[in-house]
Amino acid sequence: MRDHVRQNRSYWDGESAQYQSDHSLDLTDRALAWGVWRIPEDQIDALGPLDGRRVLELGCGGGQFSAALKSQGVAVVGLDISGAQLAHARSHAPLLPLVHASAEDTPFADASFDVVFCDHGAMNFCDPDRTLPEVARLLRPGGRLAFATSSRLRYVCMTDDWELTTSLQRDWFGDPRLDDGSSVDFSLSPGDWISRFRTHGFAIRALYELRPPSGASTTYPWFVEREWAERWPAEELWVVDLTN
């Protein structure tokens, strides 16, 4: 197991109880939504039509998003590296199929899914040079990948103490790997994402820069303040389709 995978598994096993205590109710109440401001999927349609399609969530955490899809009759599977997170998922969604594995090395056969998605989760905490080819392997031709992730801009506006500011603090270019001593994230610029999409056979369908709508609330106030997120994109939602 790679070092960052081991580190992130340990982090999420340790943080899972507090994370679910802080966020599970809101994630359940607003399950079919994206990002820290919970932008509804039915306003974006990132996943596309799901009737008759097989769906995989990478980094499902407590399974709230996948459980909501399953309640609508979608054939969905949740995958997560953290056994503690999956225990929470089993407790409130016992019929949801769950797999304990890394998104960089899944146990599924080639061309097993029509849609792969991730609301933060694995596409934040896994190496994109490993997740993107793995997703390409898992998808059937024409299949879709949709994922929300932190923006590179948010990262370069953070101090060495991880405080978010309104000025540039770090280099735009450089190593995408971010290790704060507890967990490891990966932060790519849009140009870096586009280059990797092309390498692995994906065509870009849409890029949404998520912005809090009027009256929106979040249970992640430490991630970004409303005033910041109203001015600059702290989160991106990519929608790409496999072309080969």
Side-chain angles (χ1 to χ4, degrees):
M1 182 180 292
R2 298 174 186 89
D3 288 346
H4 69 272
V5 177
R6 185 179 298 107
Q7 185 173 338
N8 284 337
R9 181 181 65 178
S10 176
Y11 172 80
W12 281 108
D13 281 347
E15 288 293 315
S16 177
Q18 186 63 56
Y19 181 88
Q20 295 300 328
S21 176
D22 292 343
H23 307 294
S24 183
L25 181 61
D26 189 53
L27 291 174
T28 301
D29 289 345
R30 299 190 289 174
L32 299 177
W34 297 96
V36 301
W37 301 101
R38 312 311 296 149
I39 311 299
E41 160 64 8
D42 61 12
Q43 292 181 11
I44 298 176
D45 194 28
L47 299 178
L50 298 178
D51 289 349
R53 299 193 176 185
R54 186 164 164 79
V55 179
L56 172 65
E57 181 178 7
L58 294 180
C60 67
Q64 291 90 351
F65 204 136
S66 284
L69 290 176
K70 184 171 178 57
S71 72
Q72 296 183 351
V74 177
V76 59
V77 177
L79 178 146
D80 204 280
I81 191 62
S82 168
Q85 287 282 70
L86 291 177
H88 284 283
R90 291 189 187 96
S91 70
H92 81 266
L95 300 181
L96 177 66
L98 297 168
V99 175
H100 189 193
S102 169
E104 297 180 15
D105 184 19
T106 73
F108 306 109
D110 294 358
S112 293
F113 297 95
D114 301 289
V115 177
V116 174
F117 79 97
C118 175
D119 185 30
H120 289 264
M123 297 302 290
N124 265 20
F125 293 99
C126 294
D127 184 344
D129 290 323
R130 296 187 180 276
T131 51
L132 285 175
E134 181 68 353
V135 171
R137 182 185 72 81
L138 294 175
L139 283 173
R140 295 167 181 148
R144 174 164 297 182
L145 168 63
F147 66 96
T149 187
S150 301
S151 71
R152 182 73 177 176
L153 181 60
R154 175 179 176 270
Y155 166 67
V156 300
C157 289
M158 297 181 76
T159 68
D160 290 341
D161 294 326
W162 304 94
E163 295 293 327
L164 185 58
T165 73
T166 59
S167 61
L168 300 179
Q169 303 290 320
R170 303 166 183 253
D171 292 342
W172 180 262
F173 303 107
D175 190 349
R177 177 183 168 119
L178 316 175
D179 187 345
D180 67 1
S182 297
S183 62
V184 179
D185 292 31
F186 291 83
S187 172
L188 273 65
S189 70
D192 286 336
W193 278 120
I194 290 168
S195 176
R196 285 164 171 80
F197 292 147
R198 294 185 65 180
T199 295
H200 298 295
F202 291 99
I204 298 168
R205 187 175 186 90
L207 167 60
Y208 300 95
E209 296 171 328
L210 301 182
R211 185 183 186 191
S214 176
S217 62
T218 183
T219 57
Y220 301 85
W222 52 265
F223 180 85
V224 64
E225 295 180 353
R226 171 185 287 279
E227 292 80 3
W228 201 103
E230 287 177 340
R231 298 179 67 189
W232 303 290
E235 304 172 279
E236 300 167 346
L237 172 56
W238 290 94
V239 182
V240 297
D241 293 338
L242 190 67
T243 59
N244 56 14

